[in-house]
Amino acid sequence: MTKTKKVISLLLTLLFSLFLISCGKSSQVDNVNNTNSTTAATTETKIETQKTLEDLKIHYIDVGQGDSELIQIGDKNILIDAGTSDKKALDYLKSIGITTIDYAIATHPHEDHIGSMDDVINNLKVGTFYAPKATTTTKTFENMVDALKNKNLKMNVPKVGDQITVGDATLTFLAPNSAKYEDLNNYSIVCKLKYGNNSFIFMGDAEDVSEGEILKKQLDIQADVLKVGHHGSHSSTTQAFLDKVNPKYAVISCEKGNDYGHPHEETLDKLNAKNINVFRTDLEGTVIATSDGTNITFNVKPVDKANDIAPKKTNKKDN
């Protein structure tokens, strides 16, 4: 009888040990499954983040002696200015397959900024249109207004601090900050685009007066890329403003051998003294900046500082 009890006891001990081993293996499998599940979720999140921040492009379009920038965020398009009346801006937009402009901004009513805006409005689908509260009696301005009327588009006047949000990008209006100016250039709409950790400022033709107002209001103007005001004229890009923006890159839009001598030597000296990488449409054609929210790359190399010289200036008025 005692012998039988010992056998039974031994069998029970063995069964209990097997049970413990089995539980341990089951727990390990669960832990592995949980770990794999967590890793998969983390990887999926990273991929999703990359998908969100991979498709911002800014085209600083070569329109000769003028300004035009196209911002592409996913399938949305923002156009800032449209160059002169020679339709170069429209031709470029068509060449890259643009059929819709979701937001159009006319910085101020000078021909070298709104010359082809009527062509853009007449030939493409335009969503919301922005312009400052400034008018002129020129045929160019009249053509733009007529085109807006024909498409039943309203001219919206943005206030400082107003924002446009497109996907993960936010465009904030920074100027004009006054109701009246002596110089039409200072009516220019100035805006800052923020995308992830990258930011870009677009100055139109805003001059030292407007820059001073922006500084006085202590608006957030730090940016990686500065679209230099007024084609690099000495009337813009004051040292205090440039120091505050503190960009890594600067883009100047102007025509090769233009009559105004843009960009002026004083401006180039300021940019070069701060070791800012300069891109120029007169020397390199259309400049395209691509951002993933962290890094910015360009389709062309910066201008060699040794050759970054100003064109010869004539007596033509710096408009």
Side-chain angles (χ1 to χ4, degrees), residues 12 28 30 41 65 79 129 158 167 204 222 230 272 280 300:
L12 288 171
Q28 286 177 351
D30 286 343
Q65 187 59 24
L79 180 69
F129 188 88
Q222 189 284 320
H230 201 183
N272 290 332
R280 288 170 50 175
V300 292

Side-chain angles (χ1 to χ4, degrees), residues 269-299:
D269 287 346
K270 291 174 190 174
L271 296 171
N272 290 332
K274 290 179 70 69
N275 291 315
I276 296 167
N277 290 301
V278 177
F279 299 88
R280 288 170 50 175
T281 61
D282 61 328
L283 300 179
E284 301 167 298
T286 294
V287 177
I288 304 172
T290 303
S291 166
D292 62 4
T294 302
N295 302 299
I296 301 171
T297 56
F298 291 84
N299 66 320

Side-chain angles (χ1 to χ4, degrees), residues 82-99:
T84 60
S85 56
D86 56 12
K87 299 186 181 182
K88 284 182 181 177
L90 177 63
D91 290 343
Y92 181 82
L93 295 173
K94 283 185 173 180
S95 74
I96 60 172
I98 301 297
T99 58

Side-chain angles (χ1 to χ4, degrees), residues 119-187:
D119 300 308
V120 170
I121 296 165
N122 289 328
N123 288 275
L124 304 179
K125 182 180 177 182
V126 176
T128 307
F129 188 88
Y130 291 95
K133 198 171 184 178
T135 61
T136 63
T137 56
T138 64
K139 184 63 177 173
T140 303
F141 183 72
E142 184 183 318
N143 289 342
M144 184 181 76
V145 172
D146 287 344
L148 289 170
K149 286 179 180 177
N150 291 337
K151 287 288 189 79
N152 292 317
L153 288 170
K154 178 185 175 185
M155 191 182 291
N156 296 279
V157 179
K159 295 177 182 176
V160 172
D162 284 354
Q163 295 183 329
I164 298 172
T165 300
V166 179
D168 293 287
T170 302
L171 187 79
T172 304
F173 293 100
L174 304 175
N177 285 279
S178 293
K180 288 189 176 182
Y181 295 96
E182 288 184 12
D183 194 317
L184 200 58
N185 287 326
N186 285 312
Y187 283 96

